[in-house]
Amino acid sequence: ILIDSKMDDPELVTCTITSNNYGAGLLDARHLISQTKSANIVLLSNSDSFSSWDRLSGFCQTLSRSGNDYRILELRDCGGQLDRAMHAMDQLLENFPQIDVVMAVNEQAALGAMAALEERGRLASTLVYSVDGSPDAKALIAEGLMTATSAQSPLRIGRMAAEVVYEILEGKPYLTNIVVPVTQVTEEDIPRYGTEGWQ
């Protein structure tokens, strides 16, 4: 049973359980659309991850259908790592001083981008989106430093994996591909979700 990832050949696994990664990017894009009708955007990706491409596809395709003036300035691979994202963001700010939105495929990349933005005094004027929904990210959203995250549910994913194991062992029918919904978390949502733990 493969959790939170995909394989090129799904025949190699019995069941794949992932978050709705396309939907995660879609939710971040919808929030951006609600905030501004134009933006200069950079994307921080992880080229080794299927989920990264799904998230960015959901984000970019939703923006492209909006009819608004959103410009993708560059897509930069940072491997989803904090230090690489910080370095990449620093270079991007040098090349594109007009950046006002960052879409990071995970929260480590978002944290790296935010560190570079803060160092240049740009964090307060830049919208930062991510995917994961970690307690750290929710705390930053509560402080008004991060804009929004599309929250995964590791507890729900783990519970579903255990349920599939029992179904297989008991000879019952089971799903081979399970997609778990994600939840948007913005500053307005923090009173409902809190900053402790995952969704």
Side-chain angles (χ1 to χ4, degrees), residues 3-63:
I3 294 176
D4 201 31
S5 186
K6 292 181 183 178
M7 293 193 74
D8 288 323
D9 184 359
E11 297 297 319
L12 295 175
V13 296
T14 305
C15 176
T16 300
I17 304 174
T18 59
S19 296
N20 184 350
N21 289 300
Y22 185 93
L26 179 149
L27 289 176
D28 281 344
R30 283 182 178 170
H31 186 270
L32 174 58
I33 291 167
S34 75
Q35 301 300 301
T36 180
K37 300 306 177 190
S38 64
N40 296 299
I41 305 164
V42 291
L43 309 173
L44 297 178
S45 73
N46 178 359
S47 61
D48 295 327
S49 166
F50 285 112
S51 62
S52 170
W53 295 116
D54 287 344
R55 293 167 186 181
L56 292 180
S57 293
F59 184 79
C60 293
Q61 289 175 14
T62 302
L63 292 184

Side-chain angles (χ1 to χ4, degrees), residues 63-75:
L63 292 184
S64 69
R65 290 191 294 263
S66 71
N68 295 330
D69 183 23
Y70 300 117
R71 294 196 304 147
I72 306 297
L73 301 175
E74 189 167 324
L75 182 151

Side-chain angles (χ1 to χ4, degrees), residues 100-173:
D100 51 18
V101 174
V102 176
M103 171 58 185
V105 294
N106 67 3
E107 275 155 16
Q108 288 302 303
L111 292 173
M114 291 171 68
L117 287 163
E118 186 170 28
E119 206 169 81
R120 288 177 176 252
R122 296 282 304 279
L123 185 55
S125 60
T126 306
L127 302 179
V128 179
Y129 290 90
S130 183
V131 178
D132 276 337
S134 69
D136 287 344
K138 290 192 289 185
L140 290 168
I141 290 169
E143 293 174 36
L145 300 174
M146 184 183 283
T147 309
T149 184
S150 291
Q152 302 186 86
S153 179
L155 296 174
R156 188 173 177 190
I157 291 172
R159 188 165 54 249
M160 287 183 165
E163 288 170 0
V164 170
V165 168
Y166 281 115
E167 288 168 351
I168 293 168
L169 293 176
E170 293 169 7
K172 295 179 179 178

